[in-house]
Structures are given as C-alpha cells and as structure tokens.
Amino acid sequence: MTQAAALSQVHSLVADTEEKRVLIVEDAPDIRVKIAAMMDYLGYEVIEAEDGERAWEIYRQDPLRLVITDWMMPGMSGVELCEKIRSHASSRYTYVILMTSLDDDSSVVEGFNRGADDYVSKNITTDILYARISAGERIIELQSRLHERNEELSKAYSTIESGLKAAADTQQRLLPENDLIINGYHFNWNYIPSEFISGDTLNCFPLGKNEIGFYNIDVAGHGISAALLSVTIHQFITSKLLEAQLPQISNGQPTEVSLNEPAKFVRLLNDTFTELSSDSEYFTVLYGTANVDTATLKLCQAGHPNPMLANPSGDITIIGEGGFPVGLMPDIDYEEFTVPFEKGARLYVYSDGVIEACNAQGEMFGEDRLINAIDGSARRDEVRDMAAIQADLHKWCGSEQFDDDVSMFTLECR
C-alpha cells in the first residue's frame, strides 16, 4: 500500500471515531518529535511524555484510547506502563503500541504478555506506522461498539429484572398468609423460586365450617412460562372456590364439581388444562381436603411426590402412589385415598424441588434425607419445622439458591 493510500484509509478511520488524541511516551526527544509530527499529520491531538512516570500521571487523570510508548526508558519502563494501564479501572479500552529496538522473540512475547497490543521497531517507516495505527483504530472502534452494546444490554437487563421482581411480588401476594389457622388446622409453608418467579404454587382455604381444602402445584420447568401457567391454575381454582361460596357468581347454578371431592376436582383440572395448554405444558398436583368431624384426609395425587404423615407420636409414614400428571391427556380417571388425621398429626406436602435438590456431587436430597429432617421434629412448632428443613436443604446444596423451584407446606390438626 502506498503512503497516500494508507493516509487516506487512516484519515477515514479517524473521522469515524470521536477519540483523536494520542499519548506518545519517549525519552529520546528526536524520536518523540518525529512520531508526534506523524500523528499530528493524521489529525491527532498529541500529548507527549518524556518517561513512564509522567505518562502514568497523565493517563490516570485522562485515560486516552491510544498510547505509543518506548520500551527502554529511565524509571518506569514501557512494559511497566502497559501493566499499569491494564490494571487501571476504566470502561474504555486503551490500545497500546510498544516501540523498541529489541527484536528477539522472547522480548516480543514479553511485551504482549505484559499488556501491549502491538509491537513496532524503533526504525519503523512511516507506511508501517500508518498501518499499525489503522489496525489500532479498528480495534478501538470495535471496543467502543462493544461497550455501547454492553451498556444497552445492561439497561435492558435492568428493565427485565425490574419487571420480573414486580411479577415475583405479585405472585407472592397470591399465596396464603403463612402460619395460618383455619377451621382447627394449622397451615405453614416454604416457597423458594429458583429464579425471580416460580412454577410452584400452594394454597389452603375453608370449605364450610369444619373442612378445609389445600393443594401444592408444580408446573413442569421453571421461569416465565411455568410461572404464567402456575398463576393461571391458581386463578382457576380461586374462581371455582368463589363460585362455590358465592352462588351469585355462577348465576345460582350449582358448580360443576365440588372442591370437597379431590379426585373429581383434579379430573376437572386435567380436562380444562389439557384443552388450554400446549403439549409440552403440564403440572403435578397434590390436592386434598381435611375434615374435623371425620378426622380424615381425602387426597388426590397427580404425579406429585409422595406426601408424608407424622402421627402424634412422631412416627412418619409415606403415603400415596404417584398418579398421572395433569394436562397431558384428556379423560384420565383420578383416584383419591382417605387416611386418618387425628389431633396432633402433621401432613408434609412438597414439590419435587425438595427431594431432587442436588449437592456438589450431583446427589439428590431424596425421601430418606427428608424423613431424617422431619424425624423427631414433629414436636417442633410448624414454623421452626419448616425453617429447619429449609436449613438442611441449603446445607445439602451448599448454596442459598436452588436449581429448581422449592415449595412445601405442613398441615397440622389442632
């Protein structure tokens, strides 16, 4: 490339960038003047320093984008200046050209390893220097564009994060009051999203004077789509509860399925959400009722982990047989089972995020460890019981954050 062509190319690059200043560091006045004249001709504002210490003082006050520095100087050397520039906290990138009479391979490698971007000989020709500056300008421009994109991404992420936090607050407000007593039953829960929002949800509500209903739902996957489906299911169940409690909502007509009948109600959920959801959207649920007069639980398990029942003496029994998840196939007949639930007994219901929580070796927490966490704790009050199980999970995982949504509740007959 001719000198004129190189000049034209570099002039074009300089015109496209807002940074037109260069710091030239050289202890030999004649060489410093020569390089400064070249850069002045290219349209740069030239700032000169006669040694590394002076250059560093200038740079700390005003981090320039382009530095041409001699290697061998009294006091601070050029490679030491490179290291200081790289250690300086700046959002903008500085392109450093190291100028030296050293031309052995080990010196070149050392210069690059200590922070230089390019390397030129002391006897450099004007054409070569123009080409080097041209390459540096391209890197500076790319770094500027990258910085701008990162700023845009950071702002976009902040907006998304703010929206997710607002959605998480809304989702939290859908949950029932914690440490809740309804119709002689005590309900206490843990709810830990793996991200801002969760595909898990749970609730407990009165059904008449002597009975309550409750559920724990876990939508497959996690994140926004799982959370949206979770909220939709919650709102659907709430609407059916309102229809049962307020006849005027259903125009005086009886509700199609009673919330007091777990198996029939889970079938209604399945028929509804098989039709509404896509093939990849499904959820597991443990839905049940507890009746003070009969001292029993009626439960329907649809793909949800097996609940555990601690009797008043503290013995723990795993109950349930799994069942088929909701939303995959229509016309599924679900079964319910009845178990005694006497005064002082405590039911534990949880999503698979509890027993599938993994440690650093990839081992799952599992049912046995959950039983051990519960064992002997049935006499603890429910709030401390939930806190102790959560502490065991965090200790097992070695982290405050879980890979999957975690939800769990206890129900005790008072």
Side-chain angles (χ1 to χ4, degrees):
M1 179 183 292
T2 66
Q3 180 173 332
L7 278 171
S8 176
Q9 181 181 8
V10 177
H11 274 302
S12 176
L13 287 165
V14 171
D16 290 337
T17 178
E18 63 178 10
E19 191 67 55
K20 296 183 180 181
R21 296 182 301 153
V22 61
L23 175 60
I24 298 175
V25 191
E26 172 60 67
D27 61 320
D30 56 336
I31 297 177
R32 189 170 67 246
V33 169
K34 173 187 174 183
I35 301 299
M38 292 179 183
M39 298 307 296
D40 180 70
Y41 182 74
L42 285 173
Y44 274 84
E45 175 188 344
V46 177
I47 301 169
E48 299 181 34
E50 67 277 6
D51 56 43
E53 284 86 354
R54 178 56 185 154
W56 177 237
E57 290 176 8
I58 294 171
Y59 186 85
R60 281 192 305 169
Q61 298 297 320
D62 183 11
L64 283 83
R65 305 297 300 279
L66 181 60
V67 175
I68 302 174
T69 179
D70 186 13
W71 183 319
M72 305 295 291
M73 295 181 292
M76 184 187 299
S77 68
V79 288
E80 289 172 334
L81 177 62
C82 286
E83 290 176 328
K84 283 187 172 290
I85 288 173
R86 295 298 171 233
S87 66
H88 186 69
S90 175
S91 61
R92 305 192 310 167
Y93 188 76
T94 296
Y95 193 87
V96 181
I97 298 176
L98 197 60
M99 187 166 53
T100 179
S101 58
L102 301 173
D103 58 1
D104 58 287
D105 290 345
S106 61
S107 296
V108 174
V109 170
E110 180 186 358
F112 285 127
N113 286 341
R114 296 178 71 174
D117 293 289
D118 204 350
Y119 169 93
V120 295
S121 171
K122 274 288 184 87
N123 59 357
I124 187 171
T125 64
T126 53
D127 285 348
I128 295 297
L129 180 59
Y130 296 147
R132 299 296 202 198
I133 297 299
S134 175
E137 281 293 349
R138 288 195 292 270
I139 298 299
I140 291 171
E141 178 66 16
L142 288 172
Q143 290 288 346
S144 295
R145 291 178 182 176
L146 179 61
H147 178 68
E148 290 173 4
R149 297 295 185 272
N150 286 339
E151 288 286 318
E152 292 171 1
L153 287 173
S154 179
K155 291 177 182 178
Y157 178 79
S158 295
T159 301
I160 293 170
E161 183 180 49
S162 177
L164 287 174
K165 286 180 178 179
D169 290 340
T170 299
Q171 197 173 32
Q172 285 276 353
R173 286 195 293 271
L174 294 176
L175 299 175
E177 179 184 348
N178 213 340
D179 201 19
L180 181 65
I181 297 177
I182 305 177
N183 291 351
Y185 295 99
H186 189 200
F187 185 79
N188 194 75
W189 50 266
N190 273 344
Y191 177 84
I192 310 169
S194 63
E195 300 174 359
F196 290 103
I197 49 182
S198 173
D200 288 10
T201 190
L202 49 84
N203 204 358
C204 182
F205 41 84
L207 295 172
K209 294 181 178 180
N210 300 314
E211 192 169 11
I212 64 168
F214 52 85
Y215 60 82
N216 184 200
I217 287 171
D218 178 6
V219 176
H222 48 269
I224 294 175
S225 60
L228 288 173
L229 182 54
S230 171
V231 170
T232 301
I233 299 164
H234 178 96
Q235 299 293 63
F236 176 83
I237 296 175
T238 299
S239 71
K240 296 305 175 185
L241 182 62
L242 288 173
E243 287 179 8
Q245 293 176 340
L246 302 173
Q248 63 270 27
I249 291 180
S250 56
N251 298 319
Q253 300 298 317
T255 55
E256 49 191 321
V257 174
S258 171
L259 277 80
N260 303 73
E261 302 174 284
K264 291 182 179 180
F265 189 70
V266 171
R267 171 156 185 166
L268 173 64
L269 288 175
N270 184 65
D271 291 343
T272 301
F273 285 93
T274 299
E275 182 177 342
L276 293 178
S277 304
S278 68
D279 293 340
S280 61
E281 292 180 320
Y282 67 94
F283 58 94
T284 68
V285 58
L286 189 289
Y287 181 84
T289 63
N291 189 292
V292 171
D293 294 334
T294 62
T296 57
L297 294 169
K298 289 195 298 183
L299 303 172
C300 180
Q301 185 184 11
H304 213 66
N306 295 321
M308 298 182 182
L309 184 63
N311 65 28
S313 67
D315 293 334
I316 301 168
T317 304
I318 297 177
I319 56 179
E321 296 181 355
F324 197 79
V326 173
L328 288 174
M329 295 176 59
D331 302 322
I332 300 293
D333 288 324
Y334 290 92
E335 297 181 358
E336 65 186 55
F337 54 98
T338 302
V339 295
F341 197 49
E342 56 188 313
K343 183 178 179 180
R346 187 178 297 175
L347 178 69
Y348 293 82
V349 178
Y350 50 91
S351 66
D352 62 10
V354 174
I355 55 175
E356 293 180 3
C358 291
N359 63 10
Q361 289 71 45
E363 299 173 284
M364 292 193 294
F365 191 69
E367 284 186 342
D368 290 341
R369 290 185 181 85
L370 180 57
I371 291 173
N372 290 335
I374 295 170
D375 189 23
S377 71
R379 298 308 93 214
R380 290 194 299 237
D381 70 75
E382 291 90 332
V383 175
R384 289 192 298 125
D385 197 9
M386 287 283 94
I389 295 170
Q390 181 175 330
D392 283 352
L393 276 174
H394 285 306
K395 183 178 179 181
W396 174 255
C397 295
S399 170
E400 291 299 307
Q401 196 71 22
F402 299 116
D403 292 333
D404 194 7
D405 302 319
V406 166
S407 60
M408 181 177 188
F409 68 77
T410 59
L411 183 70
E412 181 165 311
C413 179
R414 291 292 181 87

